[in-house]
Amino acid sequence: MKYKDGVIMACDTGASYGSTLRYKSVERIKEVGKHSLIGGSGEFSDFQEILRYLDELTLNDHMWDDGNSLGPKEIHAYLTRVMYNRRNKFDPLWNSLVLGGVKKGPKGDEKYLGMVNMIGTHFEENHIATGFGNHMAIPILRGEWREDMTFEEAVKLIEKCLLVLLYRDRSSINKFQIAKITTEGSTIYPPYALKTNWGFAAFENPSKGAVGTW
């Protein structure tokens, strides 16, 4: 999501093999060029393929050596074409991608946040979630997000969303990574765990009051 100074992103570090949480230290947020961060959910091997495309794109851009560099808006536009092209070949890249960044423009520092899914549907927003977060985190963000949030306030809101998702998804993992990007550059922080409380009555006796349960 956007905050006062830039864009903040977060994800867990789990990768599943079917219903098995096979890998527990997978980093799914990466830098793209000088001005952008990308986060990906879905098929991890397809995400690696997309990162190879982006490496090629940014290298080609750097080789022009013309004093310009691709910003988040241009990279997002490129990704929408890639995803839609693969969808039209009936061989989609099975991902939802979030692209955020900050670049100086005619109106000063311009924050950008956009997403594109596996069939090429894309949009820009102030806050974005993919996967399970689309259902559970977006209502929280709509209710509590503000444009003038500090980084600390943004982290607290992101952690609230992550905790809600962790409690409700058995395939999730309590190991998260946060990243931010501002005009000064990008920072991807080391993974860490959130403090949890499993002592809620509904957790201890989930079948109480539910008709027809064992």
Side-chain angles (χ1 to χ4, degrees):
M1 67 184 182
K2 296 178 183 176
Y3 70 102
K4 185 172 70 173
D5 298 322
V7 175
I8 184 171
M9 300 174 71
C11 68
D12 68 16
T13 62
S16 296
Y17 182 78
S19 59
T20 303
L21 186 60
R22 178 65 181 83
Y23 302 102
K24 300 177 182 178
S25 298
V26 173
E27 297 186 5
R28 295 188 284 124
I29 299 176
K30 301 289 183 182
E31 296 177 359
V32 183
K34 298 178 181 177
H35 310 288
S36 308
L37 287 173
I38 187 172
S41 62
E43 178 67 40
F44 190 70
S45 61
D46 283 350
F47 183 54
Q48 290 173 316
E49 179 74 3
I50 290 165
L51 293 177
R52 281 193 283 271
Y53 294 162
L54 292 174
D55 282 343
E56 192 175 306
L57 179 74
T58 52
L59 178 61
N60 188 53
D61 179 51
H62 181 70
M63 287 167 62
W64 279 101
D65 196 24
D66 58 359
N68 292 317
S69 55
L70 291 171
K73 191 171 185 177
E74 292 79 33
I75 294 172
H76 184 226
Y78 168 78
L79 289 171
T80 63
R81 299 304 88 208
V82 169
M83 302 300 272
Y84 187 65
N85 175 264
R86 288 292 295 264
R87 172 258 193 188
N88 284 345
K89 293 178 178 178
F90 293 90
D91 183 23
L93 293 163
W94 218 272
N95 298 102
S96 291
L97 305 171
V98 179
L99 200 290
V102 183
K103 189 179 180 184
K104 287 186 178 179
K107 299 179 182 178
D109 297 340
E110 296 180 358
K111 293 173 280 190
Y112 186 90
L113 184 63
M115 76 84 64
V116 57
N117 68 9
M118 60 182 284
I119 60 172
T121 303
H122 59 279
F123 58 87
E124 300 171 42
E125 248 298 359
N126 293 319
H127 44 74
I128 288 170
T130 66
F132 200 40
N134 231 342
H135 305 281
M136 307 297 290
I138 290 294
I140 299 171
L141 293 170
R142 283 175 178 162
E144 301 186 26
W145 178 84
R146 302 189 327 273
E147 193 171 358
D148 63 344
M149 295 179 84
T150 64
F151 176 69
E152 291 73 21
E153 290 173 326
V155 169
K156 282 186 179 178
L157 181 54
I158 286 249
E159 288 181 343
K160 180 177 181 179
C161 294
L162 293 174
L163 205 54
V164 165
L165 296 169
L166 175 66
Y167 281 142
R168 289 161 178 81
D169 184 1
R170 69 172 185 82
S171 300
S172 186
I173 181 175
N174 189 8
K175 192 176 179 183
F176 300 101
Q177 194 163 29
I178 284 179
K180 70 173 181 178
I181 186 162
T182 65
T183 50
E184 297 174 0
S186 59
T187 306
I188 301 177
Y189 294 95
Y192 68 102
L194 295 175
K195 186 178 179 181
T196 57
N197 173 25
W198 298 96
F200 297 113
F203 288 162
E204 292 175 355
N205 189 5
S207 62
K208 185 179 180 182
V211 179
T213 60
W214 290 90

